[in-house]
Amino acid sequence: MITKAAIYHRSHSSYSYMYDKNTLHLRIRTAKGEVDNATLRIGDPYDWTSGGGGGNLNAEDAMGWSGGENFVMEKEGETELFDYWFCEAQPRFFRARYAFILEGEESEKLLVTEKQIFTITDGSEPELSQLLNFYCFPYMNPTDVFSPPHWVKETVWYQIFPERFANGNPSISPKNVLPWGSEDPKTNSFFGGDLQGVIDHLDYLQDLGITGLYFTPITQGKTNHKYDTVDYLKVDPAFGDDSTVRTLIAEAHKRGMKVMLDAVFNHIGADSLQWQDVIKNGKDSKYINWFYVEQFPLIDESKRDQHSKEYLNYRAFAFAQNMPKLNTENPEVMEYLLEVGRYWVRNFDIDAWRLDVANEVDQRFWRRFRDELKAIKPEIYILGEAWHDSMNWLTGDQFDAVMNYPLSDAMIGFFANGNLSVNQFKYAINDVNTSYPIAVNEVAFSLLDSHDTARILHRCDGNKEKVKLAYLFQFTHSGTPCIYYGSEIGLDGGADPLNRKCMIWNESKHDMDMKHHIMQIIKLRKKHPALSAHSIKWLMTDDTQQSLIYQKENGTDCITIFMNNSEKSIEVSLPSLLSEQNVIDIYNEMPCKLMKTITLPPFGFAMYQNE
């Protein structure tokens, strides 16, 4: 029996959306293993043999729904509990009514509509044309298509924490600066990294294959990370000035690199002019409504020995005393921050904004933010920070993408922590891929580590072969991948502040094997469009051996990837469709022939292209 309670579809969601101005993508979820075949029944609501005019779908004179067509759906993926079925359709007149036909064992057949699930028998033809029950996609308006910048899918990002990348101008370093890399960083350490240091090493990044630079905040702040903004329109003096930023962006663009800055609009620094005015003038401050002040005094000194949530009388980011939360619903605050967004695009020609703590800012603000920035630069990339399912922000009116932490969690759980089996990993990846529209997944920001997490080498307990497998999966999955500075040469470090060590520029201390691996998979990703394609075909997932085989395909480009995520050498039996095939080993750039089995060393991999 097909479990009706497990069936799910909703119009105008990740289950039903426009992929482009002509194409609808439609998904339906069913209980795992219960449905053998799924069919999409779709057509124009006004296409009747006779009668039915004027949009009255229940008109008594409506005879013969001529518009109804059936399309076979493909099984898109499976998770632990569910199967997902997918189909695309191109309604001729840009509107549709649709339903789903599900077939199970013993000739069971269901018609799934918006209002009811019918059991189909030989005499069920009327139900197949009862359009008032069907799901509705009223009209495919081109402006409603989710349209992220076209260049993002091809971009390989490199995240730079400016204070720790390179010191190119010691004359502007803070007074308390430490010798470069002389000790492990502490929360309040300064080592003198600046933007000139980035300019000096752009050729290094170009050689690595990087095409996008993502900077944590470069605006004035008191801390080394600058998430406590003092002035949104001023470059931090320890990083450089406006001229330095313009040179950096011009030189990056000359090398085909995009530049993404970090916008911190959820909160502001305690040393900002606005918050200092509140401290000075209390309830009479002209900025009092810029914040969420509950009462005065701002700090309840009688509770100083308790958690900060007890002694702060105002809202702040994560109970951080130096980061009071901004009231973005206040029109003055909204206009102030919108001008910040416009300023850096208009005056410096940046290509993208990463939005810090984006999920805690009201969505009305983000809708305005998108409209304002896209009006200046239509191809700007707007990336929100969110660590959870984010469909609510990805319907085309706010962000172009979010940082894909659910994907990160799956990769870390499987490759680093070992707390996911092969099949659990597959289910987690499939869950990520079916949670969003394909166009969203194609530009999602994928990462293995960042300034907010322990480094990938640390998470893999120093096992660089595990790290290489993780990077290989990241770069053979859809989305726009990012490397955290230094991870390509073996930089390690646990949680903040140890994940923010100084970049090593002495090449003799680089892990050249890791660097070669990163360069090679970047090159392969650029060469083979299959590797960044959304779809993934799991050919084998073996929990016993901790091995997997999956295939990526785009047109005639078809790549098969083998992975052994265990500490033992294994022999993998090949599926019949791969056995005895002439292929090209694309990682080692040599032709070869597959046999009936393949041997993979501990944490080994192989990548083959069909000849």
Side-chain angles (χ1 to χ4, degrees):
M1 291 285 291
I2 298 174
T3 305
K4 294 180 181 179
I7 298 170
Y8 183 78
H9 175 84
R10 187 165 191 174
S11 180
H12 294 78
S13 69
S14 58
Y15 287 78
S16 168
Y17 59 89
M18 293 171 62
Y19 181 71
D20 58 38
K21 65 181 181 179
N22 298 310
T23 309
L24 287 180
H25 281 182
L26 299 161
R27 283 187 179 117
I28 188 168
R29 188 193 75 187
T30 61
K32 187 174 179 178
E34 293 186 350
V35 172
D36 298 325
N37 297 291
T39 302
L40 170 69
R41 179 160 176 77
I42 188 170
D44 192 280
Y46 305 114
D47 192 359
W48 296 83
T49 301
S50 64
N56 186 351
L57 303 183
N58 273 352
E60 292 183 3
D61 65 339
M63 299 291 293
W65 186 38
S66 306
E69 294 183 85
N70 291 354
F71 294 92
V72 175
M73 304 185 76
E74 64 177 15
K75 187 176 176 181
E76 184 181 17
E78 62 176 359
T79 61
E80 183 178 3
L81 299 177
F82 303 111
D83 289 333
Y84 292 85
W85 303 85
F86 175 86
C87 189
E88 68 175 34
Q90 295 187 321
R92 179 182 172 189
F93 299 104
F94 308 102
R95 59 195 175 223
R97 285 273 178 163
Y98 63 94
F100 304 94
I101 300 171
L102 306 179
E103 299 176 62
E105 294 181 352
E106 300 179 0
S107 301
E108 181 182 14
K109 188 180 288 189
L110 301 179
L111 176 69
V112 180
T113 73
E114 183 177 74
K115 295 185 177 179
Q116 191 174 343
I117 298 177
F118 300 90
T119 298
I120 300 178
T121 61
D122 290 340
S124 297
E125 284 77 9
E127 284 87 350
L128 296 175
S129 295
Q130 288 281 348
L131 296 194
L132 199 62
N133 293 323
F134 280 32
Y135 294 98
C136 183
F137 209 102
Y139 204 82
M140 298 170 63
N141 294 291
T143 191
D144 293 332
V145 177
F146 178 85
S147 301
H150 73 280
W151 53 267
V152 177
K153 288 190 286 187
E154 313 300 327
T155 303
V156 176
W157 295 96
Y158 189 89
Q159 182 188 355
I160 294 175
F161 192 88
E163 219 284 319
R164 304 293 156 76
F165 188 66
N167 188 336
N169 184 2
S171 68
I172 62 173
S173 296
K175 293 180 180 179
N176 56 341
V177 68
L178 297 167
W180 191 258
S182 58
E183 59 182 66
D184 283 342
K186 299 180 178 61
T187 303
N188 59 352
S189 298
F190 287 87
F191 291 93
D194 54 37
L195 298 182
Q196 184 59 51
V198 179
I199 296 169
D200 294 343
H201 292 93
L202 285 175
D203 288 344
Y204 165 85
L205 297 173
Q206 185 177 21
D207 290 343
L208 190 62
I210 301 303
T211 54
L213 304 177
Y214 153 39
F215 292 89
T216 53
I218 65 170
T219 48
Q220 187 179 13
K222 289 291 185 179
T223 57
N224 52 44
H225 54 71
K226 311 304 177 188
Y227 282 99
D228 59 334
T229 313
V230 173
D231 189 337
Y232 289 102
L233 303 181
K234 184 178 181 181
V235 181
D236 193 276
F239 289 166
D241 55 22
D242 288 0
S243 177
T244 318
V245 175
R246 288 193 174 91
T247 299
L248 169 59
I249 293 174
E251 289 297 321
H253 285 171
K254 189 186 300 182
R255 292 167 174 79
M257 297 176 184
K258 303 292 186 179
V259 175
M260 178 159 62
L261 299 187
D262 208 328
V264 190
F265 292 166
N266 175 67
H267 51 272
I268 198 169
D271 282 28
S272 63
L273 175 153
Q274 295 86 349
W275 186 246
Q276 286 297 307
D277 192 270
V278 172
I279 291 175
K280 179 181 178 181
N281 297 308
K283 64 181 181 180
D284 295 324
S285 170
K286 63 180 178 179
Y287 296 109
I288 186 67
N289 292 323
W290 281 45
F291 304 96
Y292 295 93
V293 176
E294 294 164 1
Q295 64 184 52
F296 288 94
L298 297 170
I299 306 294
D300 187 339
E301 295 295 344
S302 69
K303 298 179 180 179
R304 273 286 189 179
D305 59 344
Q306 301 180 39
H307 190 282
S308 56
K309 67 181 179 181
E310 300 299 333
Y311 68 75
L312 292 186
N313 287 327
Y314 56 90
R315 299 185 197 177
F317 167 68
F319 306 120
Q321 182 177 335
N322 67 329
M323 296 182 182
K325 181 176 174 62
L326 287 165
N327 176 13
T328 50
E329 295 180 32
N330 181 320
E332 291 181 6
V333 176
M334 177 181 285
E335 182 52 38
Y336 174 73
L337 296 178
L338 290 175
E339 178 53 26
V340 172
R342 294 187 295 251
Y343 172 81
W344 289 94
V345 177
R346 186 176 59 234
N347 294 354
F348 295 88
D349 195 27
I350 67 168
D351 305 288
W353 274 116
R354 182 261 189 188
L355 311 174
D356 186 61
V357 200
N359 55 347
E360 295 187 25
V361 176
D362 73 271
Q363 294 178 58
R364 179 170 171 265
F365 173 82
W366 289 134
R367 293 184 181 100
R368 280 285 311 278
F369 185 81
R370 180 184 184 87
D371 288 345
E372 294 285 339
L373 268 64
K374 294 285 184 177
I376 300 172
K377 193 169 189 174
E379 284 289 287
I380 193 168
Y381 179 51
I382 300 175
L383 172 68
E385 182 197 14
W387 294 56
H388 49 77
D389 181 277
S390 305
M391 189 62 227
N392 200 39
W393 290 269
L394 295 169
T395 58
D397 61 345
Q398 295 179 66
F399 308 155
D400 292 313
V402 292
M403 303 179 80
N404 200 344
Y405 279 105
L407 176 65
S408 302
D409 292 342
M411 294 189 291
I412 296 299
F414 181 57
F415 295 110
N417 299 338
N419 56 15
L420 293 181
S421 70
V422 175
N423 278 293
Q424 287 173 329
F425 175 64
K426 176 181 74 173
Y427 298 153
I429 297 301
N430 286 347
D431 186 59
V432 170
N433 287 349
T434 55
S435 292
Y436 296 122
I438 290 176
V440 171
N441 285 321
E442 288 174 335
V443 295
F445 191 88
S446 71
L447 65 164
L448 288 168
D449 48 11
S450 75
H451 69 290
D452 283 325
T453 71
R455 286 189 178 267
I456 182 62
L457 185 60
H458 176 85
R459 287 182 159 184
C460 289
D461 295 323
N463 187 328
K464 73 174 187 179
E465 300 307 316
K466 286 185 176 183
V467 176
K468 288 163 72 174
L469 274 188
Y471 273 121
L472 178 61
F473 188 84
Q474 180 193 17
F475 276 79
T476 56
H477 194 265
S478 62
T480 181
C482 182
I483 298 166
Y484 185 39
Y485 81 94
S487 288
E488 79 279 4
I489 51 111
L491 204 60
D492 66 355
D496 176 23
L498 295 178
N499 58 351
R500 302 173 182 182
K501 293 180 180 178
C502 291
M503 177 66 176
I504 298 171
W505 291 110
N506 182 346
E507 194 171 289
S508 67
K509 296 182 179 180
H510 288 187
D511 184 335
M512 297 305 291
D513 180 56
M514 181 65 70
K515 184 179 177 183
H516 169 78
H517 177 70
I518 297 291
M519 294 176 73
Q520 183 72 339
I521 58 178
I522 290 175
K523 182 174 72 172
L524 290 173
R525 183 180 175 90
K526 293 178 179 179
K527 182 178 179 180
H528 296 281
L531 296 182
S532 58
H534 164 76
S535 62
I536 180 169
K537 183 185 293 184
W538 303 94
L539 301 183
M540 187 201 76
T541 50
D542 189 327
D543 282 344
T544 303
Q545 289 189 323
Q546 284 291 91
S547 61
L548 56 89
I549 306 173
Y550 61 96
Q551 206 165 65
K552 301 298 297 292
E553 191 169 357
N554 187 319
T556 59
D557 189 29
C558 181
I559 309 294
T560 306
I561 299 102
F562 299 74
M563 289 186 177
N564 170 20
N565 190 39
S566 74
E567 58 188 11
K568 297 178 180 179
S569 182
I570 60 171
E571 189 173 86
V572 179
S573 297
L574 270 60
S576 58
L577 65 91
L578 296 176
S579 183
E580 305 293 333
Q581 296 292 314
N582 290 318
V583 295
I584 299 172
D585 179 344
I586 63 171
Y587 188 84
N588 296 301
E589 301 177 325
M590 58 185 294
C592 57
K593 184 174 183 177
L594 295 177
M595 306 309 290
K596 293 184 178 180
T597 62
I598 181 173
T599 301
L600 293 173
F603 304 108
F605 63 89
M607 302 175 70
Y608 298 116
Q609 180 186 30
N610 295 352
E611 273 197 338

